């Protein structure tokens, strides 16, 4: 039985500043891909963290 908390794809991105993260999140291509993922994925998890 597959684990309920397992995922098939990971996108790891690093940004120099929080402002760059916001710019990425608002970028038209990112928004377009996120919309498609929302339509075809059963679930998604997003984690933002700073070191």
């Amino acid at each position: 039985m597959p684990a309920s908390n397992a995922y098939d794809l990971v996108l790891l991105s690093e940004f120099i500043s929080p402002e760059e993260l916001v710019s990425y999140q608002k970028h038209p291509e990112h928004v377009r891909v996120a919309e498609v993922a929302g339509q075809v994925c059963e679930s998604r998890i997003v984690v933002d963290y700073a070191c």
Side-chain angles (χ1 to χ4, degrees):
M1 172 183 246
S4 63
N5 62 348
Y7 289 86
D8 297 323
L9 178 67
V10 174
L11 172 63
L12 177 62
S13 303
E14 295 183 25
F15 300 94
I16 295 171
S17 68
E19 294 79 17
E20 284 194 1
L21 171 60
V22 171
S23 177
Y24 167 77
Q25 291 170 329
K26 293 180 179 183
H27 190 280
E29 286 298 310
H30 173 78
V31 171
R32 184 176 69 83
V33 170
E35 289 172 354
V36 170
Q39 295 171 3
V40 299
C41 295
E42 186 175 304
S43 65
R44 297 185 291 170
I45 292 178
V46 176
V47 177
D48 294 335
Y49 63 92
C51 296

